[in-house]
Amino acid sequence: MGAVLGSSAESKGSGSKRREAPDRQRALSQVRNIGIIAHIDAGKTTTTERMLYYAGRVHKIGEVHEGNTVMDWMAQEKERGITITSAATTCYWLDHQVNIIDTPGHVDFTVEVERSLRVLDGAVGVFCGVGGVQPQSETVWHQADRYGVPRLAFVNKMDRMGASFDTVVLEMRERLGANAVPIQIPIGAEEAYSGLIDLIEMESILFDDESLGAELSRGEVPSELATVAESARAELVEKVAEKDEEVLEAFLEQGDVSVDVLKAGIRRVVAANEMTPVLCGSSLKNKGVQPLLDAVIAYLPSPLDVPPIEGVNPKTEATLIREPDDFGPTSLLAFKLMTDPYLGRIAFVRVYSGQLKKGQNIFNPRTRKRERIMSLMQLHADDRVEVETLYSGEIGAVSGLKSVTTGDTLCVENAPVLLAGIRFPEPVMFMAVEPKTRADRDKLDAALEMLAGEDPSCVIRSDPETGQTVMSGMGELHLEILKDRMLREFKVAANTGKPMVAYHETATGKGSGRHEFDRELGGQRHYAKVVLDVGPRERGSGNSIEFDLSKSVLPEKFRASVEEGIRDGAMTGVLSRYAVTDITVRVVDATVDPEFSTEVAFRTAATMAFREAVTAAKPEFLEPIMALEIVTPAEYMGDVLGDINSRRGKVREMTNRGVLQVVHAGVPLAELFGYSTAIRSLTRGRANYTMEPEQFDIAPAQLKNELLNR
C-alpha cells in the first residue's frame, strides 16, 4: 500500500504478513480484548473496579454495595447491586492496552455475555471461593467454549468463611470439563487468608492493607507451605508439558523448567484453549488483583495469537479470511446497540481488519445499504472519548448508523464479507403492554422498538388474537427492568399484564403445505404459488429454511419474500398464539407468473403454506424447563425434594457442599412462580437457590389441553 509499516507478525494459516499502522496507540501484540464472566455475586464487578484502580484508570475504588461503581452505571444497576448490561472500558497495564467488558452474572441477562464473548480474544472467569461452580458459572463457561475463548480462572472471596481453593479447582474439572491448573495457591483461608504463592516464580506475595493493596511485597515461600508449593509446581510443570513440546523437551533434558520457558509454554497452551490457569484472591479485600492483571498480559492472547476471523462472500458464499491487518479491507462486527439522548443510536463494534475512520462510508451486507460513520469513540462505561480511527483488533463505538442491528457485519463495499452472527437465547416469559392513554401509543411503540433494538432477547410482537402488544424476555427480572427503562429513559407510562410463560410450538412429524395466492389488490393482480415440506429438528436448534429450487425457477427477490412469509407464520403458530421453533422448512415448489407475481403475493402464499404444513405435521406445545440448583441444610432435604416432585420437577443430581446439600433439578418454569417464598417457608429461610433456562420440552397432555382451552 506504500505506507510505512509498524510491527508485523506472521498470519496463522495464510503465510501473509499482518501489517500495522504506524500511528496506532499500541501494537497489536500489546492489545488484550478480555471479558469478565461469572455467576451473579461471584465478584466480577468488584474485581473489574480493582483492575481499573490499580491500572490508574480511576482514582477511587467503587463498591457494588455502595452503588458507586464505574462499570455498573445504570440507575437500575446501582439500586439492585447487580450488573444488567455489559459495560466496556480500556485501561493500561505493563505498557499494554487492555479492553475490558464486564458482563452480567444474572441469568436473565445472559444475552449480554453471549454477544460480548463473540468479539473477545480472552476472558477471566471469576468464581466464588465458597459457592464454587454455580449454575450461571456453567452457562457462561460453555458460552466461552462455544466461541473458543481462552480463559484464566480467578477464585475470589478467599477470605470468606467456607472458602476452599482446592474444592473450586476440583469442581471446575468435574463440572466444567476444564483443564484447570493452579498457577497460584493461597496463603491461608477464610479470616487467615493473607496472600498467595506464585508457583511459577516460587515466591510469596502479600498485600498492604494501608495502601488498599496497591503496595505488595514478594518474599520466600513460607516454610510451612514449602512442600505443598513444590508439589503444586511439579503438577503445573507436568500439566503444561503434557500439552507443550518445548516445555516437555526442557523438562526431559534438565529435570526442571526455567521461569521463562514455563511462562512461554503456559501462554501457548492457553492460546490453544488447552489449559485454564487458576489464580486466587479477595477482590473486596484488595488482594490478588495485580497478579491477575499480570497474568492477563502474560497468558491471554492478543489479536495476533488467535486464528483470523472467517466469513463468507455474501454474493458467492465462498469462505473468506479477515486478518488483523490495518491495511486490509475494513471489516467489523456490531455486537451491541444503545441509545444516547444526544448522539442517537450507538453501535459497539469490534474491528477485525482494516481501519475505521470518522466520516467513512461503510456497507451493511444484510441491508445492502451504505451508511456514514458520524463519530468514533473509545469506551469507559457510560463515558466515551472521541477518536479519529479505530484499528484492527480494537473495540470501540460508532454513531450515525441508522439501520444496523446486533450481529450485523459492516465492511467496505468493494470487498464485502459476512461474518458469523451471534446466537441469542429464546425468551421464556412475556407480558402484555399497552399505553395508559391513546396519546401515548406512538411513544410506547418508539420505546419498545428502541428496547428491542438494543436487546435481542427482548422480543416485541402483536398478539393476533387480542391485538395486544406483547413483550417477551428472559425472566421476571428482565421484564421488570424493561418496564422500568420505559418509564425512566423513554418517559412512557404503560399498563402491563402479569408475566406469563412463553410456550412454543413445534412439529413432531412431517407435513406438507400448498397455497396458491391469486387476488386483486388496489386494482392490481397478485399471484404466487408455494409448496413447502416441514419436519422436526433437534430441540433447541431453532428453525432452518432450505430451497430445493434453482434461482431460475424462483428468483432471488421472491426467495426473500418466501423467507419473510415463513418467518411471519412461525411467529404465531397453529395451535395457539405461540411461536413455532425447531423445525426444518423445505421449499419444494413454486410458480411464478412473469406478469402478475409480486413479493407481497409470495410472502402471503408462503405464510399460508407454512401454516398448512405445520398443522399436518403433528404440532405440539413446548414448555421451558429451568435448571434449578438448591443449596439447603440436610434436615430440609425431604421437604425440598417433595416440593420439587409436586412441581413436575426431575431431580438430576444431589451432592454435598461442606455441611450443605446441593440439589440439581429440571423444573417447568410454569411451576416456579412464587418459588422464592415457598423455599424460604420450607427451610425457614436457610436454603437458597438459582435457576436458569435449560431447554424446551414437549408439554404433557394435561397442559396441552389447558393451553388449547385458554
Side-chain angles (χ1 to χ4, degrees):
M1 301 266 304
V4 178
L5 304 184
S7 61
S8 65
E10 289 293 334
S11 166
K12 294 183 180 180
S14 70
S16 64
K17 293 283 187 177
R18 291 162 167 177
R19 302 160 297 175
E20 298 182 16
D23 50 353
R24 293 182 65 104
Q25 191 174 22
R26 292 290 189 283
L28 267 169
S29 61
Q30 295 174 290
V31 174
R32 301 289 183 273
N33 295 313
I34 69 166
I36 313 296
I37 59 175
H39 184 90
I40 190 171
D41 265 351
K44 285 181 304 67
T45 300
T46 300
T47 301
T48 306
E49 292 289 322
R50 267 58 178 184
M51 285 179 166
L52 298 179
Y53 176 74
Y54 297 129
R57 191 68 176 82
V58 299
H59 302 292
K60 181 179 183 298
I61 296 177
E63 303 290 4
V64 172
H65 58 273
E66 294 178 3
N68 62 354
T69 61
V70 172
M71 302 304 279
D72 286 347
W73 56 270
M74 292 175 64
Q76 295 86 349
E77 294 175 317
K78 294 180 182 295
E79 290 168 0
R80 291 169 169 79
I82 61 171
T83 302
I84 291 171
T85 184
S86 53
T89 188
T90 298
C91 65
Y92 300 90
W93 188 256
L94 301 178
D95 200 32
H96 284 65
Q97 178 179 330
V98 186
N99 302 314
I100 303 173
I101 298 180
D102 180 30
T103 65
H106 195 287
V107 60
D108 281 19
F109 310 105
T110 190
V111 68
E112 295 286 337
V113 184
E114 188 81 25
R115 60 183 171 188
S116 298
L117 287 169
R118 170 64 180 80
V119 299
L120 295 173
D121 301 320
V124 175
V126 181
F127 296 86
C128 174
V130 181
V133 176
Q134 297 167 285
Q136 187 65 1
S137 308
E138 293 187 64
T139 298
V140 300
W141 197 264
H142 296 318
Q143 286 174 302
D145 284 339
R146 187 160 57 249
Y147 291 112
V149 178
R151 278 145 282 175
L152 306 176
F154 181 65
V155 181
N156 191 27
K157 303 188 179 184
M158 286 303 304
D159 61 308
R160 293 273 299 275
M161 184 176 294
S164 172
F165 180 76
D166 292 341
T167 299
V168 179
V169 173
L170 184 62
E171 286 188 358
M172 288 182 65
R173 293 170 179 173
E174 292 180 347
R175 295 184 60 179
L176 303 179
N179 184 21
V181 183
I183 61 172
Q184 300 172 352
I185 57 173
I187 299 176
E190 302 180 339
E191 290 185 357
Y193 176 71
S194 59
L196 56 92
I197 295 172
D198 182 338
L199 298 176
I200 298 170
E201 300 280 356
M202 285 300 283
E203 62 182 12
S204 65
I205 303 177
L206 303 177
F207 302 86
D208 177 55
D209 292 333
E210 293 289 324
S211 65
L212 299 177
E215 296 180 11
L216 46 85
S217 57
R218 301 175 184 269
E220 295 182 357
V221 175
S223 57
E224 66 273 17
L225 293 173
T227 302
V228 174
E230 287 168 5
S231 175
R233 191 180 195 277
E235 182 186 12
L236 168 62
V237 172
E238 180 183 336
K239 292 287 189 181
V240 178
E242 287 175 1
K243 302 293 183 180
D244 188 85
E245 291 185 4
E246 292 185 34
V247 172
L248 177 62
E249 186 178 333
F251 180 76
L252 293 175
E253 287 182 358
Q254 304 163 22
D256 196 7
V257 179
S258 70
V259 169
D260 289 344
V261 170
L262 184 56
K263 282 185 174 181
I266 294 173
R267 180 173 182 81
R268 286 190 293 271
V269 296
V270 170
N273 239 329
E274 293 180 330
M275 189 183 98
T276 301
V278 187
L279 302 89
C280 60
S282 170
S283 297
L284 185 63
K285 297 297 178 66
N286 310 308
K287 293 177 171 64
V289 178
Q290 297 101 313
L292 175 60
L293 275 167
D294 292 343
V296 166
I297 304 304
Y299 307 123
L300 288 182
S302 76
L304 294 172
D305 300 317
V306 296
I309 194 75
E310 288 190 4
V312 297
N313 186 315
K315 295 179 180 178
T316 66
E317 298 187 356
T319 300
L320 298 173
I321 301 293
R322 288 290 183 262
E323 307 270 1
D325 179 347
D326 288 343
F327 298 102
T330 301
S331 62
L332 53 145
L333 188 81
F335 67 94
K336 177 179 171 121
L337 300 178
M338 65 174 291
T339 303
D340 184 273
Y342 304 105
L343 296 174
R345 176 174 284 190
I346 294 174
F348 290 47
V349 300
R350 161 73 187 262
V351 182
Y352 284 99
S353 64
Q355 304 175 40
L356 189 65
K357 295 185 177 294
K358 181 179 178 180
Q360 179 180 344
N361 286 327
I362 201 76
F363 180 69
N364 187 331
R366 180 183 62 83
T367 63
R368 301 174 188 174
K369 292 180 179 178
R370 289 190 301 273
E371 295 197 70
R372 190 172 181 83
I373 303 294
M374 299 304 294
S375 63
L376 297 173
M377 293 154 280
Q378 195 178 67
L379 301 162
H380 183 50
D382 63 334
D383 189 25
R384 295 174 288 274
V385 178
E386 287 205 30
V387 295
E388 292 298 314
T389 307
L390 290 176
Y391 299 95
S392 63
E394 292 191 335
I395 291 173
V398 306
S399 70
L401 305 178
K402 297 178 181 177
S403 61
V404 69
T405 63
T406 301
D408 276 357
T409 301
L410 301 168
C411 56
V412 286
E413 193 169 2
N414 62 357
V417 64
L418 195 60
L419 305 175
I422 305 172
R423 174 184 174 273
F424 299 117
E426 294 281 352
V428 297
M429 300 191 80
F430 72 91
M431 64 184 182
V433 185
E434 61 182 27
K436 283 190 177 287
T437 68
R438 191 172 293 180
D440 288 332
R441 166 55 66 185
D442 289 345
K443 287 176 64 179
L444 175 64
D445 290 345
L448 291 175
E449 184 181 354
M450 289 183 186
L451 288 171
E454 292 182 14
D455 181 356
S457 61
C458 168
V459 179
I460 310 298
R461 66 181 181 88
S462 178
D463 190 312
E465 293 185 6
T466 65
Q468 286 181 311
T469 299
V470 175
M471 179 167 65
S472 301
M474 298 307 300
E476 290 182 87
L477 178 60
H478 187 202
L479 293 175
E480 183 186 331
I481 295 295
L482 291 169
K483 180 183 174 181
D484 192 53
R485 289 189 62 196
M486 279 194 297
L487 181 61
R488 293 199 195 192
E489 295 176 31
F490 301 102
K491 314 299 182 195
V492 178
N495 296 318
T496 57
K498 189 171 67 173
M500 301 180 71
V501 176
Y503 297 98
H504 287 168
E505 298 177 26
T506 193
T508 60
K510 295 182 178 180
S512 298
R514 174 188 179 280
H515 189 82
E516 188 172 21
F517 185 88
D518 190 356
R519 192 175 300 175
E520 188 170 305
L521 301 170
Q524 180 185 350
R525 185 183 171 196
H526 298 261
Y527 177 85
K529 187 178 82 172
V530 176
V531 182
L532 306 175
D533 289 343
V534 303
R537 295 188 80 199
E538 183 180 349
R539 197 70 64 237
S541 60
N543 297 331
S544 75
I545 303 173
E546 301 171 7
F547 287 85
D548 286 351
L549 302 173
S550 68
K551 292 183 180 180
S552 61
V553 176
L554 186 65
E556 187 66 42
K557 67 175 181 177
F558 294 142
R559 285 178 178 245
S561 299
V562 169
E563 288 187 8
E564 288 176 13
I566 292 169
R567 292 193 181 99
D568 289 346
M571 287 292 291
T572 54
V574 298
L575 295 173
S576 185
R577 59 188 182 275
Y578 303 111
V580 180
T581 189
D582 297 344
I583 64 169
T584 294
V585 184
R586 193 178 300 276
V587 184
V588 297
D589 196 13
T591 302
V592 177
D593 187 305
E595 186 176 356
F596 297 113
S597 284
T598 62
E599 293 174 32
V600 171
F602 270 102
R603 183 170 178 169
T604 306
T607 298
M608 302 308 294
F610 174 84
R611 294 183 65 83
E612 182 180 324
V614 175
T615 301
K618 301 178 182 177
E620 294 285 352
F621 288 107
L622 295 172
E623 64 171 337
I625 307 297
M626 308 299 286
L628 184 66
E629 182 187 89
I630 307 153
V631 182
T632 178
E635 59 259 41
Y636 302 109
M637 275 290 284
D639 291 334
V640 168
L641 295 175
D643 185 66
I644 290 173
N645 187 58
S646 73
R647 297 173 186 270
R648 296 193 289 121
K650 296 179 180 178
V651 175
R652 276 99 183 244
E653 186 183 18
M654 293 183 289
T655 58
N656 298 326
R657 187 175 293 168
V659 298
L660 300 173
Q661 302 292 307
V662 184
V663 181
H664 299 273
V667 186
L669 175 60
E671 306 294 337
L672 290 172
F673 285 86
Y675 188 69
S676 58
T677 302
I679 194 69
R680 282 198 300 270
S681 176
L682 284 173
T683 64
R684 299 185 179 182
R686 294 178 64 189
N688 59 73
Y689 76 96
T690 56
M691 64 177 177
E692 62 179 354
E694 182 180 59
Q695 62 189 28
F696 280 79
D697 274 350
I698 299 290
Q702 183 178 346
L703 177 59
K704 180 179 178 180
N705 290 332
E706 290 175 8
L707 294 173
L708 289 172
N709 293 322
R710 279 185 178 178

